[in-house]
Amino acid sequence: MKQAAAANGPQLTIVDFKLMKRVFYVFAALAVLSMTISLGGKWLGRSIAMAGYTDDTTVHEVVIGNNVIAVPANVIRFDQARRDGIASRLDLYLRYPEMDGYSEAARDDFNHTGPSRSIIFLSFERQVMSRDMSGRFAPIYSALIVEPGTPGPGGTTLYGFNEKSGYFNEVLAVGNRRGKDPFVARCLSGASAAQSLAPCERDILVGDNLSLTYRFPMEFLSDWQALDATIAAKAARMLKAGH
């Protein structure tokens, strides 16, 4: 009996040791899993909170034709475009009048939860038309609008489009500039304008055969001269032409 008990003793000890190892591995695995979930949760939580935005200010150089556009990541709208290299188009967003990108301080503005709209959307791409929107007023838009117009913000005149124009639910905002082609922007009207974050659109020629289209809230028409000058100056600072 003693021999049997002695024989059984080591076996029980061996079984217990194996069990303890298994328990240890299980707890270790759970600890690792818990840490992974915690870290992953924090990363995912930040990603959800950022909602596609980034506060990274690393400057990227994007090449379109003979132009190099140098911009920080936090002004580039889409994640896949936040890189250096060649592109056919580059979409940006900026807060006006600060002309800066996304940051914690600007979060409400970019999430459109602030008291007013303040985000401008910009798109750079190769020039397709020989004239920008101002240059197209006399040869094209003037034949498509309905006279007379009505007074608009900032001394502009708002014109409706005729039925054959194809511009439904839109108006043309025109601001006279001495010695230059007029400021011209197309804006949505009615319910469409109320539902849009940036219902007005204008394009200008910049750089080396490059077109810049920018969309903005209709309220900015009251300050259209400063707005247009600020956009042009910002584009000039971003661009490195002739490469």
Side-chain angles (χ1 to χ4, degrees):
M1 292 291 290
K2 290 181 179 180
Q3 291 178 351
N8 291 335
Q11 293 177 4
L12 288 173
T13 301
I14 293 172
V15 170
D16 289 344
F17 179 69
K18 288 182 177 181
L19 179 61
M20 290 301 294
K21 283 180 67 177
R22 289 175 181 171
V23 171
F24 172 78
Y25 288 140
V26 168
F27 276 106
L30 288 174
V32 172
L33 180 61
S34 177
M35 184 178 295
T36 302
I37 291 174
S38 176
L39 293 175
K42 290 178 181 178
W43 178 85
L44 182 59
R46 175 173 170 78
S47 296
I48 292 173
M50 297 294 278
Y53 300 123
T54 180
D55 52 11
D56 180 14
T57 56
T58 301
V59 174
H60 294 289
E61 293 192 342
V62 179
V63 180
I64 302 180
N66 291 326
N67 303 275
V68 177
I69 308 169
V71 287
N74 67 335
V75 308
I76 300 176
R77 285 186 65 189
F78 304 115
D79 181 63
Q80 65 270 24
R82 293 169 187 151
R83 58 175 180 79
D84 297 299
I86 298 172
S88 59
R89 177 187 173 108
L90 180 62
D91 295 294
L92 312 176
Y93 43 18
L94 293 164
R95 184 173 57 154
Y96 183 80
E98 294 84 356
M99 300 304 285
D100 56 5
Y102 180 86
S103 65
E104 182 65 23
R107 179 176 60 182
D108 287 347
D109 291 322
F110 278 86
N111 285 329
H112 312 292
T113 58
S116 60
R117 299 171 183 173
S118 59
I119 303 302
I120 298 174
F121 301 90
L122 304 90
S123 298
F124 287 95
E125 53 192 335
R126 288 195 179 192
Q127 178 183 341
V128 176
M129 297 186 180
S130 60
R131 301 168 182 254
D132 62 13
M133 192 170 282
S134 289
R136 297 197 300 272
F137 177 74
I140 299 176
Y141 288 126
S142 62
L144 302 176
I145 57 177
V146 177
E147 299 273 8
T150 59
T156 60
T157 301
L158 302 181
Y159 297 95
F161 285 98
N162 61 44
E163 295 180 355
K164 297 180 180 179
S165 69
Y167 295 113
F168 301 105
N169 299 319
E170 291 189 36
V171 296
L172 194 71
V174 180
N176 290 324
R177 300 187 294 185
R178 183 176 298 178
K180 300 174 64 176
D181 289 330
F183 168 91
V184 179
R186 291 200 338 263
C187 298
L188 297 174
S189 60
S192 299
Q195 295 169 5
S196 175
L197 296 172
C200 292
E201 176 180 297
R202 169 170 168 77
D203 63 67
I204 59 176
L205 300 181
V206 297
D208 185 355
N209 295 317
L210 201 62
S211 177
L212 169 59
T213 299
Y214 68 90
R215 295 186 295 114
F216 58 94
M218 197 164 192
E219 304 91 273
F220 291 1
L221 277 178
S222 61
D223 196 29
W224 61 267
Q225 296 182 68
L227 171 68
D228 205 50
T230 300
I231 293 292
K234 185 68 173 181
R237 290 193 295 271
M238 292 176 175
L239 283 165
K240 300 178 181 179
H243 288 254

